Amino acid sequence: MMIDGHQHFWDPARADYPWMEAPELARIRRAFGPSDLAPLLRANGVDASILVQCRSSIYETEEFLRVAAATPFVIGVVGWVDLTGGKVDETLERLRGSPGGERLVGIRHQVHDEPDPDWLLREDVQRGLSAVVAHDLTYDLLVRTREMPAAIATAQAFPQGRFVLDHAAKPPIADGFSREWADRLAALAECGNVWCKISGLATEAKWDDWDSARLFPLVEHAARCFGEDRLIFGSDWPVCLLAGSYGEIKSALEACLMKLGPHVRHKAFGANAQGAYLIPPPLVGEGGA
C-alpha cells in the first residue's frame, strides 16, 4: 500500500489562514478538497493519505474527521488542539468520540510561527503534550532549524511518545546546504522515537529552479540520520503546487529514495507511516483513491 503521509484541504472562502496571506501564495489561495486530490492519487498510484491541519482551529479538526469518515482514502488525520488550554485530555476524548474520531492519529501546531523558539518547552505546552502522549497519539513537529533544540528536548522528555518531524525541518535549500540544519537534524534523529517526513522540500528550494538532483543531498542526509525505518513520504499537496505538480513532486522524491535503495523507497511510501501513526489495519484495508 502506498501512502501519502502529508496533505492538506482548505477553503479560504470559509476560514482564515494567516500564513496564506503572502502575495506569492496567491496561486494556492483557493479551495482544495477530496475531489481535487482523488484523481491525482489514482494517477500516481497512491492508495491513501494522511490529512494534516492547516490552522489553529478545533473546528477544522472536527471538520477533517468528518471528511475522513466520508473519504476512504483519508486513513488518518493530524489535527489541532490548544496545548496551552488545560483541557487537552477532555478535548481529545471528545474528538475521539466524534464522527470520524477513530481516524485521529496525531496533533500538530505551527510551532515555527511562534515568536518564542522554545515554545515547545513551555510548562503549559508540555502538559498538553503529556495528554497527547497519554492518548497514544503522534505529535507532528512543524519546526525549522531555529526551533530544533526545543524539539530535541521535547522528544527526549517523552521517550514513550511518538514524534514526526514535518518537512525534514524545512532546510533552507534555496540558500544552499546548511551545516546548522544538518547537525541539528542528526541530533534529533538520535531520539529513536522521532520519524522524519521527506516532504515540502521543493517549496524550500527556488520554485522555478529545482530537480531531484538538488533535493537528493538533503534526502540522503535525512536517510543517513534516521535510517530506512523512520522516513515518511509526503507530497505536501496543495502547498507543493507552488513548485510543481503532484506527479512531479512525487516522482522527484521517489527518485531520491530509489537512489538509496528500493527497500528505502518501499518503507517510506507506506509501512513507516503506518508505524509512526499506528494506522489500524482495518483503515489500511479501506484505502484507495
Side-chain angles (χ1 to χ4, degrees):
M1 175 175 225
M2 186 173 286
I3 299 173
D4 180 344
H6 197 102
Q7 56 89 187
H8 305 285
F9 296 140
W10 61 63
D11 186 353
R14 297 177 54 234
D16 293 326
Y17 303 85
W19 60 269
M20 206 184 293
E21 294 173 0
E24 62 268 23
L25 302 184
R27 74 182 85 168
I28 61 170
R29 199 178 301 124
R30 64 175 181 85
F32 291 93
S35 62
D36 300 296
L37 181 57
L40 300 178
L41 297 183
R42 283 195 297 269
N44 288 279
V46 179
D47 303 295
S49 72
I50 306 293
L51 174 58
V52 180
Q53 67 92 219
C54 309
R55 61 195 184 99
S56 299
S57 167
I58 195 68
Y59 302 110
E60 179 190 70
T61 302
E62 293 167 342
E63 180 182 6
F64 278 3
L65 292 175
R66 291 192 294 270
V67 167
T71 308
F73 69 75
V74 177
I75 59 173
V77 170
V78 175
W80 179 92
V81 298
D82 183 3
L83 295 176
T84 70
K87 294 184 178 180
V88 179
D89 188 73
E90 296 93 324
T91 302
L92 293 176
E93 288 283 356
R94 182 174 60 79
L95 290 172
R96 280 267 175 85
S98 66
E102 74 281 359
R103 302 203 181 194
L104 183 67
V105 298
I107 298 298
R108 187 178 86 150
H109 179 76
Q110 274 105 329
V111 174
H112 64 28
D113 290 335
E114 293 290 342
D116 181 6
D118 290 328
W119 184 86
L120 280 167
L121 300 181
R122 284 174 38 170
E123 185 177 348
D124 52 357
V125 174
Q126 292 277 300
R127 280 198 301 269
L129 287 170
S130 294
V132 172
V133 171
H135 281 263
D136 209 14
L137 293 168
T138 303
Y139 185 77
D140 269 34
L141 294 161
L142 182 56
V143 298
R144 295 183 187 271
T145 304
R146 183 192 74 143
E147 299 84 25
M148 290 270 271
I152 294 165
T154 296
Q156 292 171 338
F158 297 98
Q160 75 280 29
R162 297 183 313 282
F163 297 87
V164 173
L165 177 65
D166 287 349
H167 315 318
K170 296 191 172 184
I173 301 172
D175 298 326
F177 192 87
S178 166
R179 189 72 256 166
E180 184 180 31
W181 165 82
D183 290 345
R184 290 183 176 182
L185 191 80
L188 181 59
E190 290 179 6
C191 301
N193 57 338
V194 182
W195 284 256
C196 178
K197 282 184 184 173
I198 304 301
S199 60
L201 299 182
T203 46
E204 295 303 314
K206 295 179 180 179
W207 296 347
D208 60 352
D209 186 20
W210 69 273
D211 55 24
S212 62
R214 301 207 186 169
L215 301 185
F216 181 69
L218 291 306
V219 176
E220 183 180 36
H221 179 67
R224 188 181 303 118
C225 293
F226 285 89
E228 64 186 59
D229 294 322
R230 291 190 289 148
L231 298 179
I232 297 172
F233 158 74
S235 68
D236 198 26
W237 181 92
V239 179
C240 71
L241 299 178
L242 295 168
S245 68
Y246 189 102
E248 289 169 335
I249 297 298
K250 190 245 185 182
S251 295
L253 295 179
E254 191 164 20
C256 290
L257 291 164
M258 280 296 289
K259 281 185 180 180
L260 301 170
H263 57 294
V264 178
R265 175 262 185 200
H266 177 73
K267 291 181 178 181
F269 272 86
N272 292 347
Q274 293 178 35
Y277 289 111
L278 298 186
I279 304 294
L283 294 185
V284 172
E286 292 171 11

